[in-house]
Amino acid sequence: MAKSHFEYVKHFEILDECLKNCWIVVRVDGKNFHKFSKQHKFAKPNDDNALTLMNESAKGVMGLFHDIIIAYGQSDEFSFVFRKQTKTYNRRASKLSSTVVSQFSSCYVYHWTKYFPSQKLLYPPSFDSRVVLYPSNQNMRDYLSWRQADCHINNLYNTCFWYLVHDGKTPTEAELELRGTTSADKNELLFSKFGTNYNDLPQLYRKGSVILRKKVTRSSMGKDYHIIHRLRFIVFRGIFLLASNCDSFRSVKRERNSMRGARMPITSSV
């Protein structure tokens, strides 16, 4: 930028650097997606195409930011975990948040026709985002556990609600019937009234999606033998993130450590 006597205005910018040695999480959340899903005729309680489009958009974000080691998504939200030592954008929260949500929104619109070929996009979807810091591994695990528990609680309720609505009840009647019920009550309702075992529903609905990076080694024989290293995305639909011993999170750390220094193009795989 050329220097001028107006340059002093740069000092009004807030240098919102994230605290060092903390996990940085950027969570993207759909804005007013209740209305958006209704107007675009999403299947209820879960729309496979809509969920897969969210996964596709998340992969687009991970393709832009190599320091994201894991992403977890459910419903209309996705959380992206940057490694503790990331220096992306000098750890500025505003830059991380705005670029992640911008990339996610752009990918969502860009891939729309791939998953909804017969449904015109009636208006641009919007997403908000926030940055949260977690200083310890336990805090980070608990955050992911919280989001997955939220997925289970919301999906169990929504499944019961929409089964009742599809069975002829009004939304108000369905809400009244579910008011004050426990998880056991909801499971019993699904099984006794609709013959559905909640645990038999797709894990994607009940547990969400986890996206990791995996380094893939390919061998090819030509004039000289050489090995090509590439990265691909692995999408786990419905993995339980966090057992009590947190083996899943340790495996993410091992995966991350094995890929240090790898910055080759990423090939997408589900």
Side-chain angles (χ1 to χ4, degrees):
M1 182 183 295
K3 291 186 177 296
S4 71
H5 67 280
F6 300 113
E7 196 170 353
Y8 77 93
V9 298
K10 290 169 52 180
H11 299 296
F12 288 93
E13 291 187 25
I14 298 175
L15 299 179
D16 51 348
E17 180 181 353
C18 293
L19 191 66
K20 288 181 172 58
N21 297 320
C22 288
W23 297 100
I24 299 176
V25 176
V26 179
R27 185 165 82 244
V28 172
D29 203 352
K31 185 177 184 299
N32 200 9
F33 252 58
H34 176 76
K35 174 185 174 183
F36 182 85
S37 63
K38 182 178 181 180
Q39 294 198 358
H40 289 87
K41 302 176 182 178
F42 284 9
K44 299 293 185 179
N46 291 285
D47 189 299
D48 284 310
N49 288 329
L51 294 172
T52 308
L53 176 56
M54 291 289 290
N55 290 343
E56 188 74 39
S57 303
K59 290 192 292 183
V61 174
M62 293 185 73
L64 183 64
F65 293 100
H66 297 286
D67 276 356
I68 295 175
I69 64 167
I70 184 173
Y72 172 73
Q74 51 110 349
S75 185
D76 63 344
E77 72 169 58
F78 244 100
S79 296
F80 300 93
V81 181
F82 286 79
R83 65 187 184 91
K84 276 188 173 184
Q85 295 78 20
T86 185
K87 295 181 181 179
T88 304
Y89 293 135
N90 295 318
R91 300 178 67 89
R92 290 186 61 181
S94 57
K95 293 278 284 186
L96 292 170
S97 178
S98 60
T99 311
V100 167
V101 73
S102 174
Q103 178 74 356
F104 191 94
S105 301
S106 298
C107 290
Y108 194 91
V109 173
Y110 182 79
H111 293 293
W112 175 265
T113 55
K114 178 179 178 181
Y115 296 100
F116 293 95
S118 60
Q119 172 62 59
K120 181 181 178 181
L121 190 60
L122 302 178
Y123 61 90
S126 60
F127 297 84
D128 61 49
S129 65
R130 70 200 71 186
V131 172
V132 189
L133 306 181
Y134 295 100
S136 71
N137 289 355
Q138 187 62 54
N139 295 149
M140 188 66 256
R141 297 184 192 111
D142 288 346
Y143 169 80
L144 294 171
S145 294
W146 170 50
R147 299 321 304 148
Q148 192 167 65
D150 186 74
C151 173
H152 164 68
I153 293 169
N154 289 338
N155 185 69
L156 179 57
Y157 179 89
N158 288 334
T159 300
C160 292
F161 177 86
W162 285 106
Y163 272 43
L164 290 170
V165 170
H166 294 328
D167 195 46
K169 290 187 179 294
T170 66
T172 300
E173 290 171 339
E175 183 180 346
L176 287 173
E177 183 164 341
L178 294 174
R179 185 174 298 174
T181 56
T182 64
S183 293
D185 296 332
K186 295 182 180 72
N187 276 282
E188 179 59 28
L189 170 68
L190 289 174
F191 188 77
S192 61
K193 191 166 185 176
F194 301 105
T196 298
N197 186 332
Y198 181 74
N199 291 325
D200 291 338
L201 295 178
Q203 295 188 44
L204 173 63
Y205 304 162
R206 296 182 285 116
K207 304 174 187 177
S209 298
V210 177
I211 305 179
L212 302 175
R213 299 173 185 273
K214 185 174 181 63
K215 184 166 67 174
V216 179
T217 301
R218 294 180 181 174
S219 300
S220 62
M221 294 295 292
K223 184 176 181 180
D224 297 308
Y225 179 82
H226 61 281
I227 297 177
I228 302 172
H229 293 283
R230 293 187 182 274
L231 297 178
R232 68 173 178 174
F233 295 124
I234 307 298
V235 181
F236 295 97
R237 297 186 173 198
I239 188 172
F240 259 129
L241 282 175
L242 313 191
S244 58
N245 60 5
C246 303
D247 285 339
S248 297
F249 196 75
R250 282 200 287 269
S251 70
V252 172
K253 291 182 68 178
R254 287 195 297 271
E255 197 71 59
R256 178 200 65 184
N257 292 336
S258 71
M259 292 165 9
R260 281 179 176 166
R263 289 294 183 269
M264 297 298 290
I266 296 175
T267 59
S268 176
S269 174
V270 177

